[in-house]
Amino acid sequence: MGNMGICDGNRLSGLSLATLLSGLSVGMVLHSSAAKALDWRFSPSLSASEIFSDNLTLSENNKKSGFVTEISPGVSLYGDSPWSNFNLNYRMQGLYNAGGRDAIDINHQLNMNSLYQAVRNTLFLETASSISQQNISNSFVTTDNISGSGGRTEIKTFSISPYWTPRFGRFATGLAKVGYSNSSFGDLNGSSETQQRLSTPISDSGTFTRQARLSSGSYFNRVNWGLNYSSQEQSRAAGQDVRFEQYQGNARYYINNKFNLFGQAGFENNDFQTSTNSISNGFFYTVGGQWTPSKWYSLEVGIGNNKHATLQFNPSENLSSTITYRNKDVGLNTGDSWDANFNYRAKQLTIGFNYSQETTTLQQLFAEQGFFLRDASGSLTQVVNTQDLVSRGILTPGPTDPVTGRSSLIPGPNFNNTQLVLNPFDLVNDVIIRKRGNLSFSYQTGKSSYTASVFNERRTYEARSGEDMSYGVTGSWQWQFTPRMDLYLRPSWQHTDGELSSNSRYDVALGVSRGVPINLGRPLLMDTRLEFRHINQISDSSQFDGYVENRATANFNVRF
């Protein structure tokens, strides 16, 4: 998570680019004919902390204790309506003596996304941008901008995607979507630490996406059909470019309300660097059927050179589950693979599990997930997936995206600048096969709330040998023992196995927070926090030392 000087022109230009995109998004929404229907909320904030650490350098051989002062003004802008939404959160983190360097650092942290409807239900514009700081390797399991002597870089992403959803009477509906996203990663090539560890550090990239779809309309009663095209071309500043491209057609015939037959066929045309010649392009097909004996469950089986079996079990409105097995000879993720999800929601209890496998790039992962958030305790947290954010009240469902049919996510009651941190694998310029599983749990009583999550992630690289793996468990207990005062305990453990090192990290935070109502002409939301934190990282590599850090933080935060 890189430190940044006030006069760093390159990084300020990245901020300007992200700010420009955010400004354009605001302008388009404000000047739309539907803007009057938007519910706008503008909320500036200020956070100030004094932090004492007994190991600012995160080193067992060169320990240095001291105080770090943090002053971070921020602003949130949110607007929504049934058909459009805009969400911007920005924070300028000012630090003095971070890492014990007796210097001033400024870190820009931004998360913006919007969905603007130029022509209702027909023409849309989707935008997103982010600025965050991230580890450049897995030598530290997870760090923040407070401690450590480097090993971080600043990541800037933005994307823009206009799309059109035409309707052809009762005969068909369509989608035509194009998009561009950009990811930049500070000065990784100028980092001696990165050059020493990685032969192909991740590079800046621009990605063009194209998507076209034509689906049958209500005129077709017993037969549904669809034609699909998707393409993603990633152009890299260094290294070989990447292309994922697929053509596909499908049809499904309903014999009755319990049985249907389906077939799908297409062509894969992918291109990326690989050391094992693992690209499998060409023609693919699947034929099969689906049995739906009741609304509670169904079974679908398809055979061909790409095979799959899917079981859905949804016995109630509170419980839904799906598990899919695939065996593919053509395309991405060839061989055996699984996808699964399980969600249970009750009045006080939420349980979620998901497992997935995908072929992607780190540039795309950061473009899709690399935004800045921080939880109400003020500490950085490992966010496992979207469901984890929802279950913890950081995000809540918002307006439905007309393309995906899924709800967008908007700030929830616990949204207060939480950081989403990807697992600390090496930042390499490669195509990766990512397998990830996560189990999350949350329970709410009258005065206490409990959350826990367990995750495991494996990454296999196409161009270089080896595999990275990370797994861990996090938990929290929050007790509201008075109306405006909370006591919380947040333990976590995480282990990472990389090509060059293996690390384990134990982290426990104990704190108390108190809300203070004040009125300066209008009611303001203010809270204070006192936290004690113990961190112990163990490394089995002679190249990277383990360390122990004890930290005390006094924080004041006000949202105007």
Side-chain angles (χ1 to χ4, degrees), residues 49-241:
S49 299
E50 192 67 25
I51 303 149
F52 175 80
S53 169
D54 67 353
N55 191 358
L56 286 172
T57 57
L58 301 184
S59 171
E60 285 300 287
N61 300 322
N62 186 28
K63 282 188 176 182
K64 183 178 182 180
S65 62
F67 288 90
V68 177
T69 301
E70 177 183 8
I71 299 178
S72 301
V75 63
S76 297
L77 178 62
Y78 176 67
D80 74 310
S81 74
W83 51 86
S84 296
N85 64 80
F86 178 87
N87 177 24
L88 181 148
N89 285 271
Y90 168 75
R91 187 175 79 150
M92 185 180 72
Q93 183 188 45
L95 296 170
Y96 173 70
N97 197 38
R101 295 182 294 102
D102 195 24
I104 296 176
D105 302 305
I106 302 295
N107 298 309
H108 299 288
Q109 296 157 347
L110 170 72
N111 173 34
M112 186 282 296
N113 58 78
S114 73
L115 178 63
Y116 165 60
Q117 199 164 164
V119 180
R120 191 170 184 182
N121 297 327
T122 303
L123 190 61
F124 303 83
L125 181 66
E126 194 174 41
T127 62
S129 63
S130 69
I131 303 175
S132 62
Q133 292 80 47
Q134 184 73 25
N135 296 339
I136 65 172
S137 71
N138 62 5
S139 57
F140 293 109
V141 173
T142 299
T143 62
D144 52 30
N145 292 330
I146 306 300
S147 304
S149 57
R152 310 179 186 99
T153 188
E154 183 169 84
I155 299 174
K156 299 180 286 288
T157 71
F158 74 88
S159 64
I160 182 167
S161 300
Y163 56 94
W164 175 44
T165 56
R167 301 177 186 276
F168 303 98
R170 297 174 54 225
F171 296 97
T173 59
L175 166 69
K177 183 175 184 178
V178 296
Y180 175 77
S181 64
N182 181 277
S183 301
S184 60
F185 299 89
D187 189 18
L188 281 176
N189 291 323
S191 169
S192 59
E193 179 180 350
T194 307
Q195 289 286 7
Q196 181 181 359
R197 299 191 65 256
L198 303 175
S199 58
T200 57
I202 194 169
S203 67
D204 298 351
S205 71
T207 302
F208 288 94
T209 59
R210 296 184 296 273
Q211 184 180 359
R213 183 178 68 213
L214 189 65
S215 303
S216 58
S218 60
Y219 176 82
F220 301 92
N221 294 322
R222 303 184 73 89
V223 177
N224 289 347
W225 53 266
L227 299 173
N228 302 277
Y229 169 76
S230 64
S231 172
Q232 181 186 111
E233 297 184 3
Q234 186 176 101
S235 177
R236 295 173 169 176
Q240 184 174 327
D241 296 343

Side-chain angles (χ1 to χ4, degrees), residues 385-429:
N385 60 11
T386 301
Q387 180 57 41
D388 188 34
L389 289 169
V390 174
S391 66
R392 286 161 35 187
I394 297 172
L395 298 176
T396 59
T400 300
D401 189 312
V403 172
T404 64
R406 298 189 298 266
S407 294
S408 59
L409 296 173
I410 62 177
N414 297 329
F415 186 91
N416 184 24
N417 293 332
T418 304
Q419 178 159 8
L420 175 61
V421 183
L422 292 180
N423 283 338
F425 298 113
D426 292 338
L427 297 188
V428 293
N429 220 26

Side-chain angles (χ1 to χ4, degrees), residues 448-467:
S448 295
S449 61
Y450 306 87
T451 65
S453 64
V454 181
F455 75 93
N456 176 275
E457 180 167 335
R458 293 174 180 266
R459 295 184 182 180
T460 304
Y461 300 88
E462 292 286 0
R464 70 168 189 169
S465 61
E467 180 183 71

Side-chain angles (χ1 to χ4, degrees), residues 474-550:
T474 63
S476 72
W477 168 57
Q478 185 165 323
W479 175 40
Q480 188 179 52
F481 59 92
T482 67
R484 294 192 180 94
M485 185 173 290
D486 294 342
L487 176 70
Y488 63 85
L489 175 67
R490 292 188 173 92
S492 67
W493 173 82
Q494 183 171 316
H495 179 79
T496 298
D497 279 321
E499 188 174 354
L500 298 180
S501 66
S502 296
N503 301 297
S504 295
R505 174 184 167 109
Y506 306 87
D507 189 343
V508 59
L510 175 65
V512 60
S513 62
R514 176 176 175 81
V516 182
I518 58 176
N519 194 319
L520 298 178
R522 64 185 181 91
L524 303 180
L525 179 63
M526 185 182 79
D527 61 82
T528 59
R529 175 177 56 89
L530 180 63
E531 179 183 272
F532 300 94
R533 190 173 176 185
H534 173 77
I535 303 168
N536 183 4
Q537 179 165 311
I538 302 170
S539 175
D540 66 357
S541 170
S542 59
Q543 186 176 358
F544 303 111
D545 295 330
Y547 67 88
V548 175
E549 182 191 19
N550 296 289

Side-chain angles (χ1 to χ4, degrees), residues 355-368:
Y355 177 85
S356 62
Q357 176 175 324
E358 62 178 335
T359 298
T360 185
T361 65
L362 288 180
Q363 287 92 335
Q364 282 302 107
L365 289 181
F366 280 110
E368 295 169 1

